[in-house]
């Protein structure tokens, strides 16, 4: 089965940086894209960034120019470099996989009931 384990969250001040990592294992060949979504109290799920097997990326408008998604296929690891963090970025961040193509991956990450969707336990990011 698919396992996604996040790490790298923490507390930072406004303007600071963090890098999240996600170790992936298991049955992932059906997954078209990997990415990150976030959940904050009182807010809806927000897809943050996605990347496909060809390295094409997609970002939410709220993080464009500040966050960078990347992957190391040799290590089966996904990363999210987050720079110039803002209090609005405070959330639980989840590593996720989806069978949807890159064009709609942001909208699909973490959505319950969608086939071939997987996600990890999450890592907390707090910006003050």
């Amino acid at each position: 089965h698919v396992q996604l384990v996040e790490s790298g969250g923490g507390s930072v001040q406004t303007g600071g940086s963090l890098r999240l990592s996600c170790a992936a294992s298991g049955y992932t060949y059906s997954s078209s894209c990997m990415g990150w979504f976030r959940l904050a109290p009182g807010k809806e799920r927000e897809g943050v960034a996605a990347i496909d097997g060809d390295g094409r990326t997609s970002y939410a408008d709220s993080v464009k120019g500040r966050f960078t998604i990347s992957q190391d296929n040799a290590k089966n690891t996904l990363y999210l470099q987050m720079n110039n963090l803002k209090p609005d970025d405070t959330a639980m961040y989840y590593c996720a996989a989806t069978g949807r193509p890159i064009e709609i991956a942001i909208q699909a990450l973490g959505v319950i009931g969608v086939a071939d969707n997987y996600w990890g336990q999450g890592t907390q990011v707090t910006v003050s």
Side-chain angles (χ1 to χ4, degrees):
H1 64 284
V2 177
Q3 281 193 312
L4 303 170
V5 180
E6 304 93 338
S7 61
S11 298
V12 296
Q13 293 187 334
T14 298
S17 298
L18 282 173
R19 188 176 82 154
L20 306 183
S21 299
C22 172
S25 63
Y27 184 68
T28 59
Y29 85 86
S30 62
S31 296
S32 178
C33 294
M34 300 286 294
W36 300 85
F37 70 93
R38 62 189 182 186
L39 285 172
K43 296 184 179 180
E44 294 186 351
R45 180 207 65 85
E46 181 183 22
V48 173
I51 187 168
D52 70 5
D54 294 325
R56 292 180 296 176
T57 58
S58 178
Y59 295 94
D61 288 342
S62 59
V63 306
K64 280 181 181 177
R66 300 188 298 121
F67 290 12
T68 303
I69 189 171
S70 62
Q71 59 190 0
D72 185 332
N73 291 327
K75 296 181 179 180
N76 291 327
T77 303
L78 183 72
Y79 303 100
L80 185 68
Q81 178 65 44
M82 306 185 294
N83 297 328
N84 192 20
L85 283 161
K86 306 175 181 180
D88 281 350
D89 295 318
T90 295
M92 186 73 80
Y93 284 71
Y94 296 84
C95 174
T98 180
R100 297 298 186 268
I102 190 64
E103 291 80 6
I104 59 172
I106 290 290
Q107 293 88 339
L109 292 171
V111 176
I112 298 173
V114 174
D116 295 331
N117 264 18
Y118 306 92
W119 53 90
Q121 295 298 309
T123 185
Q124 178 68 37
V125 172
T126 302
V127 186
S128 59

